Amino acid sequence: MVCTANDLLEWKDFPKGLRILLLDEDTNSAAEIKSKLEEMEFIVIAFSSEHEALAAISGKTESFHVAIVEVSIHNRDGRCNFLEAAKDLPTIMISNEQCLNTMMKCIALGAVEFLIKPLSEEKLRNIWQHVVHKAFNTSESTKSESLKSVKEFVGSVLEIQQQSIATQTQVSEELIIDTEMDQNDHSQSAAGDKFPAPSTPQIKQGGRSVDDGDSQDHMANNSPVKEGAEFDGDNKSVDNTNNGNSFATMEVDPPQPTSVVSIKEEDRSDGSRESDNSVPKSHENEDTTYVGPDSGNLNKDSKNTRGTKGSRKKIKVDWTPDLHKKFVQAVEQLGVDQAIPSRILELMKVDGLTRHNIASHLQKYRMHRRHILPKQEERRWPHPRDSIQRNYYAHRPVMAYPPYHTNHNFASGQVYPIWGQQGCQPPSFPMWGPPSYPWQPADQNWPWKPYPAMHADAWGCPVYQTPQCPPSAFPQQAQGAYGFHSNPHESYGKNSSDINPKDEVIDKVVKEAISKPWLPLPIGLKPPSTDSVLAELSRQGISIIPPHINGHHPC
DNA sequence: GCAGCAATAT
DNA sequence: AATATTGCTG
């Protein structure tokens, strides 16, 4: 029985009526589970053999909304096959054994959750969340009819909620999670239990069902929601796990995890802000990150009537390094030439992001590449002029900064981020990918945001605060620091060495500068004062200073 | 209707 | 400063 969009009424009592495929060879267990599920008014179709179950879903996963499959170390392999065959069906594994290996394998193969028997009513009650999650996180093309139906329903519910926020009475309250305050503990039937185990998804708000404009149907979620809420999104697996009150988190979908975007709402000057009682609008960033780009939300401003796209609050996507990395990966994957917003959006699989967001980011990204990479190349492969010049570039702290980045930033001690994996990164700044990734090249680097990795030293050249890399030519270091490496080959491999000068490098530079003061200083640098030089040397343990330091030519 | 770009708004 | 939005063009 396929469910179509016309069956919305069918979900009047959602999640009652969800069709569940149950596969458990242990007849006693199966009967018990089936009984519990039926008490909750789910429709259970039980199978005692994997073969039958596979036959049942073969080619028509739309016959079910969710599958509950028992697994043990004995039938694990077979279950893997099942998971493979049931890719489009949210599958919950159940077992008597808490075998981490098996659990991981199942999850890795796409199981949405792994529950250990016995299954309590609480555990079973929330399984609908997987269905909803799947419904919202599967591409339209591969989505089964049953999931489409659910999605449609959920979308309609959420929309209704938005429109009647004030009175959150309506229909399936179960799905509603309110936003602002509290949450988490609703006693509602659906979301009710306290987050059961591992990954039981908690839908918190949902929101958007419609895209705004272009959107895809993703939802977004956030992690730290501040005031408004948005809806969920997906899960970036590990990361966005909810902190205790995750608002809109949906469960994760192993096969293709999507991420969530965090968005900040900006205050709008127009009066539409209405109500919100909410919080003092601290808008600024801080916590106001929302997730979910779309309109959604209920809370905050949603009140307005507009339906789908009317008054969408303004939300800002926070292009975190991680998100940017995803973006870059998508671009690289598509090829710079074919990277267009819609495709990037698809590849990124980040809920909440819209094509507009990406277009905007892409615009900036391209601009960076266009303006910066060429110059970078020049610097990277300078025309051999004279040996002196070359020597100079090879050993001096050159100010090889792209125009985009003003030197004064360094001068003022401001710090910059390292966008990319080629540089030494602070422990908290994860590498963006193994060297084998095709995308990693230059793109990932663009220092748009300050990052506490380097600062200007007395010489006016960037120096890492936590030097850990071997010496290398400075021009590159400077570039790496700015994240404008354009040569992928150099990028990895020497990685950290390109960017973080070590103490010895600094020493070398300092010594050289001291011993050859007649050499030109890098553009943009002003000669250090003797005092600063001495201070720097002293700081680095260099006490012997050549007599000619004061401007006398050594020869 | 989308993509891309530039200008402008937030 | 970083993004979003808008207006235009193709």
Side-chain angles (χ1 to χ4, degrees), chain A residues 274-308:
Chain A
E274 78 240 330
S275 65
D276 55 336
N277 37 355
S278 40
V279 207
K281 65 193 33 312
S282 50
H283 20 350
E284 267 342 25
N285 359 310
E286 190 153 345
D287 7 16
T288 32
T289 45
Y290 291 65
V291 175
D294 338 3
S295 54
N297 51 316
L298 339 151
N299 346 336
K300 247 190 155 168
D301 22 278
S302 51
K303 123 183 276 135
N304 26 334
T305 63
R306 80 7 207 35
T308 30

Side-chain angles (χ1 to χ4, degrees), chain A residues 36-274:
Chain A
K36 281 182 177 163
L37 290 169
E38 289 180 335
E39 275 176 31
M40 288 176 258
E41 297 184 57
F42 288 125
I43 296 169
V44 183
I45 296 87
F47 296 90
S48 54
S49 85
E50 189 171 282
H51 181 69
E52 292 173 30
L54 281 171
I57 62 170
S58 128
K60 48 178 181 177
T61 51
E62 63 272 10
S63 296
F64 305 96
H65 294 101
V66 61
I68 297 179
V69 180
E70 184 270 339
V71 62
S72 68
I73 53 175
H74 306 298
N75 61 20
R76 202 172 69 163
D77 292 339
R79 295 303 191 255
C80 290
N81 294 334
F82 182 91
L83 282 169
E84 178 62 28
K87 264 187 302 213
D88 300 327
L89 188 63
T91 303
I92 297 168
M93 306 307 291
I94 57 176
S95 180
N96 282 310
E97 310 149 4
Q98 182 137 19
C99 170
L100 188 60
N101 250 351
T102 301
M103 294 173 77
M104 287 196 291
K105 189 162 186 179
C106 290
I107 296 297
L109 287 172
V112 296
E113 181 158 14
F114 199 109
L115 301 174
I116 303 300
K117 291 182 183 179
L119 302 182
S120 65
E121 186 179 321
E122 288 69 52
K123 288 177 182 174
L124 295 173
R125 187 177 296 158
N126 284 326
I127 59 178
W128 62 268
Q129 295 175 66
H130 292 291
V131 179
V132 175
H133 180 265
K134 193 87 173 181
F136 279 92
N137 291 281
T138 300
S139 68
E140 281 318 312
S141 54
T142 60
K143 191 174 300 172
S144 68
E145 290 304 318
S146 56
L147 290 181
K148 285 179 183 172
S149 164
V150 169
K151 181 180 176 182
E152 192 123 340
F153 161 72
V154 174
S156 67
V157 169
L158 295 177
E159 203 158 306
I160 289 172
Q161 291 186 358
Q162 292 185 21
Q163 298 179 354
S164 56
I165 279 184
T167 53
Q168 60 182 142
T169 36
Q170 319 291 341
V171 195
S172 45
E173 312 183 310
E174 292 119 325
L175 291 182
I176 302 179
I177 294 182
D178 47 290
T179 42
E180 296 204 285
M181 334 214 112
D182 89 316
Q183 352 266 339
N184 293 337
D185 45 285
H186 303 314
S187 40
Q188 314 268 344
S189 56
D193 15 3
K194 11 281 343 317
F195 319 45
S199 50
T200 300
Q202 309 288 327
I203 287 188
K204 293 260 177 138
Q205 143 146 31
R208 108 98 62 24
S209 39
V210 191
D211 359 331
D212 40 312
D214 32 0
S215 59
Q216 349 250 23
D217 37 349
H218 322 339
M219 311 187 107
N221 101 94
N222 62 317
S223 354
V225 174
K226 196 177 238 137
E227 27 181 11
E230 290 283 7
F231 46 26
D232 85 305
D234 50 346
N235 48 340
K236 159 178 245 150
S237 31
V238 187
D239 298 24
N240 63 334
T241 65
N242 8 317
N243 34 355
N245 32 343
S246 53
F247 274 139
T249 347
M250 270 193 162
E251 86 171 53
V252 180
D253 193 333
Q256 34 185 281
T258 51
S259 317
V260 176
V261 181
S262 109
I263 298 171
K264 314 179 199 177
E265 178 172 358
E266 301 201 328
D267 11 82
R268 32 179 62 186
S269 38
D270 50 319
S272 55
R273 207 189 195 56
E274 78 240 330

